[in-house]
Every structure is written in structure tokens, then in C-alpha cells.
Amino acid sequence: MKRLGKKFLAAAMAIVSALSISGCSVESGDALASLPRLPGEYLALQQEVDAILAQGYIPTVAESGQNRQAMQQQDIDGDGQKEIISFYRSSTSGEYMIYVHKRQGDDYVELGHAKGYGRYLKEVSYPRCQNNGARAIALSWGMEDDSASGMSVHTLGSDGLNEALAVRYSNSYIVDVNYDGVDEIFLTAFDRVSSAMVMTAYGFRNGECTEISQTPLSSDVKNVVKITKSTKPGQWGLSLYVDSLTATGGYITDIVELRSGVLTNTTLGSGSKRSAATWRPVNITCQDIDNDGMPEVPLADMLPGYTDPEAADTLWKLRWTRFENGNTNGVAVETFHSPADGWYFQWPETWGSNVSAQRKSEAGIIKTTFLVPVEGAEEGYLFQGSDNVLLQIWVFTGNNRQEYFASSGMEWLYTSDNAIYGYSLPENGYPQLSLSADQVARSFHAITKEWASEVFS
């Protein structure tokens, strides 16, 4: 059999006028939903596509995620050759259809198709369902009730494409946590019996996708905002770090492991309903900040001079704390995070608890000043005097940011798509706390936005 390769992908992404030729219009103007008129080499596949379009279907794409083309390639049956998966929506009823085609000699044959459900197709993922490399098709659906989503999982069998799972959920994550070559699907949802959020693990076996185990999340979870995996396996494989917004504010992290088939929330102590040790008043999620393969939890301490933890202008120092078996196991690093401005700064050990910070914004310039608080100063504890300012980090935004930066006299740190970062090191009266230009450059880090895929790691 001839393997489909780059030539097909190039053709499928070229987006020529196939739909206008066949009289169909592209859904929502998204070029990803266009199916091109394929080269003669793929005439048999084109005939299959034309037959589907003739039934009143138009190509469609998922609204988010990494797999957004209307026609995609994946090895669904695990034989080393990629099949063609294509997505359509009825122009009249809104019904969704998913088709799988395989090349056999000079022909393309349909291996199976499935109907979709939901108000719109949210995301497409391909979890490994057998350790020979075969993959299932996991479809996330937007429902009429926006507070939850639906997921349908389809596997390929001798009788075509079969629905292996259909369930509602709030958040999802797909990963092989136990390194057996087959992915698990982890879903969070609100459990009406316990009136709390739970996480459920589903696994593949004999073409089915069934529940493995379930564990509660912290009782005050309002909604899950992010799930992060470790990259270094522990005793039980990979851990999942579930960051959530709590009902009373702030973030909390539940660390979950699949231990011999039992899903375990390691940060819930005996009899406890809340992972209290991971709660913090700042809306910052876990991150493997020291690149050791295990995410750290950003516990927070108010900087000197601030007294109200709920005030919008209160600034914090973060202690990125390691957890092992649900208990704290040291601090990897301390930082000052400014997520709204897209940067963070590694807190120098010499500063300890002797340094505070202030943030001011005006006319496209955001300035963060690190200073030694002045006891008894008439102007206030965080008064910026002539000799107590250690470092200033400036963020220049707006259309005139280049001119503002050039005229500021600041040293350059970093340039992003929409901002220029600079700094100054004023002379001060605290040589033991002063930094060099090299220290500033090493300690400054831009915060890069992660791919916003909901379901696939």
C-alpha cells in the first residue's frame, strides 16, 4: 500500500476552489474548513468526498485545539498507514458526521462513520487506544448548557466506527500516565451527590472506553482552570496537577495519581475534604519552574508594606513549592510574578524578606520598582527615596513603545510582539542588596502563553 504523505497534506491545506466548484459554501469563512479539489492521484478519495457533499453536508472544523483541519491524517488501526478522517455538518439539520477512509491500492474505502452530537464541535483528539499505535477519535462537543461539555469517543472495529464512550464533563486531559502505551482520559465534572467536583479516569480495553476510578477534588473548587502533568514519572507514574478557582477566591491545587488502578488525590489528607496546603490567594497556576520534571505549586507571601490580601494592588512573593506524596518537600525557587505584564523575576536570595515592590501604570508605560521599605518615613513605608530603590523594570506598550523606550534611558531586557521590556539599576545605599546587570538579565523571564488545547497533553 502506498502511504499518504506530504503531497496529500500540501494539497489538503492549499485551499483551492473545490467547494465553489461543487456549489457548496465554506462554513463561517474558515479556510480550515475548505476541502480542496484533490490531485488526480486521489481521484478515488475525491469521489468519496463528493458523495458526502452531495448529501447536503459541508466541511466543518473544531473551534479550538491542535487538530482543526476538516480533513486529517491519523493511524487509526495501528498498521503504520495513516487513514483519512474528515468532518462535516449538515447544512439543514446541523447534524455532524465523521468519516474514516483508508487507501487500498488505487481506491479509498470507507472504514466507518459516526454521527456527532452537540451544539458545535469543540475539539478533536486522538488518544492511543492500543499499544500497537492504534488511536481512537475523541470529540469534544459544546452543549446547549455552556456550563458543561460532552465527549464522544469512537474506536475502529471490524464493524466500523463504534462509540466507546459518551459522557458530559467540565475539563479533560488525555495522557498515558502509567507508560503502558495506551492513553487514559481524565475528566472533571460536578457530582450532584457529593455537591463537589470529581475527577474520573477512563481507560481503553477491547475496543471499549470504560471508567477506571474516581476521586474527589477539593470541596471548595468552583471550576477547574488548568491541568498540568509531571514529565518525570514517580512511583505510580505521572502525576496530574489540577489547578482550580475556589468558591471563596484564590487558587487551590489537587495532585492526582493513578495508583494501581485507583485514582488518588494525594493532597487530600486523611478525612480532609480540601487540599489546604496548596491554597494561595493569587490566581497563578502550577509550573515546572525549575525544569526538574515535576511541577511546583506557587504558594504566596505578601510583600512588606501590604496588609490587605484582597486588595487589587497587593503584591506578592511566590514560593514555588515541591510536593511529594501530598506533603511539602522544599522550595525550588522564589519569584515575583507579573502575569498581567507578561514577565516574572527570580527573587535574589540576598533580598530575603527585606525588599518590597510597587507597580504603577500610565500612558502605555508600566513600571515595577523593587525597594527597601523605609521605617518611619513621613511619605509612607513604601516611599521611593533617593537611596532605597534597587531595581526598576519598565514595560513599554502601545504604538509608540519604540520611541518611549528609546527616550527613557532604560537598558533593554526583552522584546515581545506587543511590548518592550527595560530596566534601570539606580544608585542606592544598600550594596549588600544591589544587583549587577548580569544578575538582572539572568533573573528576568518572559511569561509565554501555552497552547490552549483543552483535552490533549
Side-chain angles (χ1 to χ4, degrees), residues 28-305:
S28 71
D30 192 334
L32 293 171
S34 301
L35 289 178
R37 177 65 59 180
L38 300 174
E41 182 179 353
Y42 304 104
L43 179 60
L45 178 59
Q46 184 68 64
Q47 292 172 344
E48 293 285 329
V49 170
D50 287 345
I52 297 170
L53 298 178
Q55 299 176 48
Y57 288 97
I58 57 177
T60 191
V61 296
E63 294 204 353
S64 61
Q66 302 178 60
N67 302 306
R68 294 196 59 230
Q69 296 81 13
M71 184 176 287
Q72 302 173 19
Q73 288 192 104
Q74 288 288 336
D75 184 5
I76 299 299
D77 57 9
D79 68 348
Q81 175 177 315
K82 292 182 178 180
E83 285 72 50
I84 305 299
I85 303 96
S86 52
F87 303 87
Y88 306 88
R89 180 177 63 83
S90 170
S91 58
T92 56
S93 68
E95 176 186 70
Y96 286 88
M97 294 294 293
I98 304 95
Y99 282 84
V100 179
H101 287 88
K102 188 179 188 68
R103 183 165 187 162
Q104 293 183 354
D106 293 331
D107 293 325
Y108 284 88
V109 297
E110 180 192 322
L111 297 185
H113 64 269
K115 290 185 179 182
Y117 68 96
R119 188 159 51 92
Y120 60 93
L121 179 57
K122 193 173 182 180
E123 190 160 1
V124 178
S125 300
Y126 297 99
R128 291 168 293 183
C129 61
Q130 299 180 44
N131 54 22
N132 67 351
R135 292 183 178 271
I137 305 173
L139 305 170
S140 295
W141 300 96
M143 310 303 289
E144 294 297 332
D145 178 7
D146 287 332
S147 64
S149 301
M151 177 177 285
S152 59
V153 179
H154 306 269
T155 56
L156 188 63
S158 58
D159 55 346
L161 208 56
N162 303 309
E163 186 175 82
L165 178 69
V167 66
R168 284 203 172 206
Y169 72 98
S170 297
N171 298 81
S172 60
Y173 202 79
I174 299 174
V175 64
D176 178 11
V177 293
N178 53 12
Y179 283 81
D180 64 354
V182 178
D183 287 322
E184 288 78 37
I185 299 177
F186 297 88
L187 303 178
T188 66
F190 182 77
D191 179 42
R192 297 187 182 277
V193 176
S194 63
S195 297
M197 293 291 289
V198 297
M199 173 176 273
T200 306
Y202 296 86
F204 292 95
R205 187 176 182 181
N206 298 326
E208 297 295 325
C209 186
T210 57
E211 179 177 328
I212 300 173
S213 183
Q214 186 180 94
T215 190
L217 301 180
S218 291
S219 58
D220 58 345
V221 165
K222 182 178 180 181
N223 60 278
V224 175
V225 297
K226 183 182 177 184
I227 301 175
T228 306
K229 70 174 180 179
S230 61
T231 56
K232 181 176 72 174
Q235 178 183 358
W236 306 100
L238 300 182
S239 302
L240 298 182
Y241 291 66
V242 184
D243 288 313
S244 304
L245 176 67
T246 69
T248 55
Y251 274 25
I252 200 166
T253 302
D254 293 289
I255 303 176
V256 178
E257 295 177 350
L258 188 61
R259 298 182 170 183
S260 299
V262 178
L263 202 59
T264 303
N265 188 337
T266 68
T267 44
L268 285 184
S270 178
S272 174
K273 294 185 177 181
R274 185 173 184 268
S275 300
T278 68
W279 181 85
R280 60 273 188 191
V282 295
N283 296 345
I284 297 179
T285 58
C286 293
Q287 176 185 341
D288 183 9
I289 200 162
D290 60 352
N291 297 314
D292 68 346
M294 302 296 290
E296 286 79 35
V297 179
L299 305 183
D301 300 313
M302 266 193 303
L303 288 176

Side-chain angles (χ1 to χ4, degrees), residues 297-325:
V297 179
L299 305 183
D301 300 313
M302 266 193 303
L303 288 176
Y306 296 95
T307 59
D308 185 358
E310 296 183 1
D313 60 350
T314 295
L315 299 182
W316 305 81
K317 179 174 66 173
L318 302 183
R319 290 178 285 115
W320 291 85
T321 305
R322 301 184 181 99
F323 278 78
E324 185 175 354
N325 293 322

Side-chain angles (χ1 to χ4, degrees), residues 372-383:
V372 179
V374 180
E375 292 282 358
E378 294 182 3
E379 298 87 347
Y381 189 61
L382 296 179
F383 168 66

Side-chain angles (χ1 to χ4, degrees), residues 391-394 409-413 421-425 437 440:
L391 168 68
Q392 290 181 324
I393 293 180
W394 299 57
M410 297 297 105
E411 298 294 329
W412 177 86
L413 267 176
Y421 299 80
Y423 75 96
S424 65
L425 289 169
V440 174

